[in-house]
Amino acid sequence: MYILVMINVMFGFLFLSGIKYIIFCAMSKAKYSLRYFVLFLVVILVTTHSLSILGHTVQVLYLILLGVLPNRQTQSFHLICFYGLYAILTVSALGTILQSFGELFLPSHFFVDDVVTLYDSIATPILIGIIQFGVIKLIAPNLEIIRKNQHLQKSNRLKFINSLLSTSLILYLLTYQFNNASYKNAVNMFFVVSLISLLVYLKNTTQNYFNFQLAQQKQQQLDHLTTYTTQIEDLYKSINGFRHDYANLIVSLETSIQAGDINQIRSIYEDVLKNSSSVLNHGNHTLGSLTKIDIPAIKSILSNKIILALEKGIHIEFEIEQKWSTCHVDVFDYIRMLGILLDNAIEASEACSIAFINIAFITDNVKQEHRLIIENSTNQEFINISHIFQDGVTSKGANRGIGLSNMQHILSNYEQAHIETECSNYRFRQTLITQG
């Protein structure tokens, strides 16, 4: 009987420890090797034996330290604290609540040592796992929004959530000191109310922010398309006017040729034909190629950035081979990355004496792969590209370099997407590759 009890206790310990660790990994979206989990088990064993209830605090600190190592560039310290506090607190508190429910609802003849042990060590961890799985599935979209936005990660709302969880953890730990049924029930009730309030608050906060971002993006898209439409109309008028002038020019040229008037022919060429190439090759004509892009949001931001570059005197070359109807990732994420790349290209090239940006959309139907290539001039012959995706690393000055680090964070959510970077001979090229 003693061996069975010990097996049940060890099973419960491993199950609960595993749930805490899995919850933390699932929420932080980080992948760790097995040795970190083994070290976590050692931390729990040592701290529980030597520090008693304070061992929970050490567990939280361990998970926070574990989270800071791979995520310090993309996720704020406050967000990582939230992961650690939530993983330890909810598992421990839910265990206490479920044990209290067992005492209330299980028949009295069940309360013998072996049955109680089975309930505490097997049934309780399984129920905790089921509840946590449901909660994480519920809040996963909200956490994804927070992970994508540095402003939300550093907001007072997240600090408030951490304060609420910290208070709940302290109250929960004090239940071991007071060992009072009324206090224990009050703490359990506070935890349940706090958890429900936290979930509602988290969902509403992120959903409102998402709606705001969506409305803002739609307005930007509308503004971009309006500008694009205006430019296309101007392009049509320009071509139509040139066609009319060209027809009259041919008549005049024909008359001069028939008369053999070489001076008149030379004059027509010098005054009109010599400058026709600049009219036909004007940067605004690049916008006509955007008709091959079937995704309105991508077309709108491209037109906006191209027009912005042309207004700054930057020469634009745009190439697209065939219809572009999918980007293999979330469109909102794609236009965020596209905006970052184009903004960086415009800012870098406008500082050059010869300013240019080359944009190409290439589709590989065999590999089911899309390549977006953006190449721009730069005033540096060589740029060290090994650290440019780190937060704050830039050659543009202080408080800059946020864009590429945000882009790397976006890419971390997609296994089928990555970016390649090259720099040589005063040319900086980035290729965004997506597969589907």
Side-chain angles (χ1 to χ4, degrees):
M1 181 63 69
Y2 176 77
I3 296 177
L4 179 61
V5 171
M6 289 301 299
I7 291 175
N8 289 336
V9 170
M10 288 301 298
F11 177 82
F13 167 77
L14 290 173
F15 205 154
L16 288 175
S17 301
I19 291 173
K20 293 176 183 178
Y21 192 79
I22 291 171
I23 289 172
F24 179 80
C25 293
M27 296 182 74
S28 63
K29 289 289 186 179
K31 297 179 180 179
Y32 303 99
S33 62
L34 181 61
R35 68 175 182 272
Y36 289 110
F37 175 62
V38 174
L39 182 58
F40 181 59
L41 293 178
V42 173
V43 169
I44 295 178
L45 282 172
V46 172
T47 57
T48 301
H49 176 72
S50 59
L51 300 177
S52 186
I53 60 174
L54 293 179
H56 292 82
T57 305
V58 178
Q59 295 170 30
V60 172
L61 294 176
Y62 173 82
L63 291 180
I64 291 174
L65 178 62
L66 186 64
V68 167
L69 295 177
N71 298 312
R72 62 183 181 274
Q73 296 175 8
T74 58
Q75 301 186 44
S76 72
F77 180 75
H78 298 297
L79 186 58
I80 295 171
C81 287
F82 170 73
Y83 299 149
L85 284 167
Y86 181 89
I88 301 301
L89 170 65
T90 54
V91 171
S92 301
L94 283 174
T96 301
I97 293 172
L98 290 173
Q99 288 171 358
S100 299
F101 282 168
E103 295 175 0
L104 288 174
F105 298 109
L106 285 177
S108 59
H109 65 272
F110 271 35
F111 285 92
V112 293
D113 289 341
D114 55 340
V115 176
V116 171
T117 302
L118 286 173
Y119 176 77
D120 291 344
S121 61
I122 298 179
T124 297
I126 291 175
L127 289 173
I128 291 175
I130 294 172
I131 294 172
Q132 290 287 11
F133 176 80
V135 172
I136 290 178
K137 290 288 288 184
L138 178 66
I139 66 176
N142 313 116
L143 289 176
E144 192 63 31
I145 293 174
I146 293 177
R147 275 193 292 268
K148 291 179 179 180
N149 189 278
Q150 292 288 332
H151 174 72
L152 286 181
Q153 292 184 30
K154 298 175 182 179
S155 69
N156 291 328
R157 296 183 180 93
L158 189 58
K159 295 176 184 178
F160 170 77
I161 290 174
N162 285 340
S163 299
L164 193 63
L165 292 179
S166 300
T167 302
S168 298
L169 180 60
I170 293 171
L171 293 175
Y172 166 74
L173 295 178
L174 290 176
T175 58
Y176 292 91
Q177 296 292 331
F178 295 121
N179 195 23
N180 181 282
S182 298
Y183 177 81
K184 185 177 180 181
N185 293 333
V187 170
N188 289 341
M189 183 60 66
F190 177 82
F191 168 75
V192 171
V193 173
S194 298
L195 181 60
I196 294 174
S197 301
L198 182 151
L199 296 178
V200 173
Y201 186 68
L202 181 64
K203 184 174 180 61
N204 289 342
T205 300
T206 52
Q207 190 62 45
N208 290 339
Y209 183 82
F210 179 78
N211 291 337
F212 170 77
Q213 289 288 91
L214 186 61
Q216 189 178 50
Q217 185 61 43
K218 286 182 178 179
Q219 184 59 47
Q220 289 179 353
Q221 181 177 331
L222 179 61
D223 294 340
H224 293 170
L225 287 176
T226 301
T227 306
Y228 171 69
T229 302
T230 302
Q231 291 291 327
I232 290 297
E233 289 176 353
D234 292 342
L235 175 61
Y236 175 77
K237 291 176 182 178
S238 174
I239 293 177
N240 197 42
F242 181 81
R243 183 180 63 179
H244 180 268
D245 295 340
Y246 196 78
N248 293 333
L249 178 66
I250 293 299
V251 173
S252 300
L253 190 59
E254 182 181 7
T255 303
S256 300
I257 292 174
Q258 290 176 351
D261 191 343
I262 298 300
N263 291 331
Q264 183 66 24
I265 294 173
R266 183 179 289 111
S267 176
I268 293 173
Y269 172 77
E270 292 290 339
D271 294 342
V272 183
L273 288 179
K274 191 174 182 181
N275 298 322
S276 63
S277 60
S278 63
V279 175
L280 292 174
N281 294 326
H282 191 274
N284 286 343
H285 293 245
T286 300
L287 297 173
S289 302
L290 295 182
T291 56
K292 292 183 179 180
I293 296 179
D294 290 336
I295 306 175
I298 295 178
K299 181 187 295 184
S300 68
I301 193 172
L302 270 171
S303 64
N304 179 266
K305 299 302 181 182
I306 288 174
I307 292 169
L308 176 63
L310 292 172
E311 290 175 346
K312 291 178 178 291
I314 300 172
H315 178 73
I316 299 291
E317 291 288 343
F318 184 84
E319 177 186 350
I320 182 168
E321 298 176 337
Q322 53 187 282
K323 286 285 185 179
W324 186 283
S325 57
T326 180
C327 52
H328 299 313
V329 298
D330 181 77
V331 174
F332 182 71
D333 284 341
Y334 196 88
I335 61 176
R336 287 174 64 199
M337 293 188 289
L338 179 58
I340 291 170
L341 293 176
L342 289 174
D343 284 340
N344 287 346
I346 292 172
E347 190 170 0
S349 59
E350 70 175 332
C352 303
S353 56
I354 301 178
F356 67 84
I357 298 176
N358 300 327
I359 306 171
F361 283 82
I362 300 174
T363 302
D364 189 332
N365 293 323
V366 177
K367 295 182 179 179
Q368 293 186 327
E369 179 180 273
H370 286 168
R371 286 176 173 260
L372 165 64
I373 302 174
I374 298 179
E375 182 184 66
N376 61 271
S377 56
T378 176
N379 54 16
Q380 296 180 339
E381 183 176 6
F382 175 77
I383 297 175
N384 185 0
I385 63 176
S386 60
H387 302 297
I388 62 173
F389 288 95
Q390 294 181 8
D391 192 4
V393 176
T394 178
S395 59
K396 303 174 189 175
N399 300 320
R400 307 291 286 279
I402 303 299
L404 288 179
S405 65
N406 286 343
M407 183 170 179
Q408 192 67 21
H409 177 50
I410 296 171
L411 287 171
S412 66
N413 297 316
Y414 299 98
E415 294 183 358
Q416 74 276 25
H418 68 280
I419 190 168
E420 297 176 355
T421 304
E422 304 172 57
C423 181
S424 63
N425 196 26
Y426 299 98
R427 289 173 175 259
F428 186 78
R429 173 186 290 188
Q430 292 195 286
T431 303
L432 178 59
I433 302 171
T434 58
Q435 295 176 319

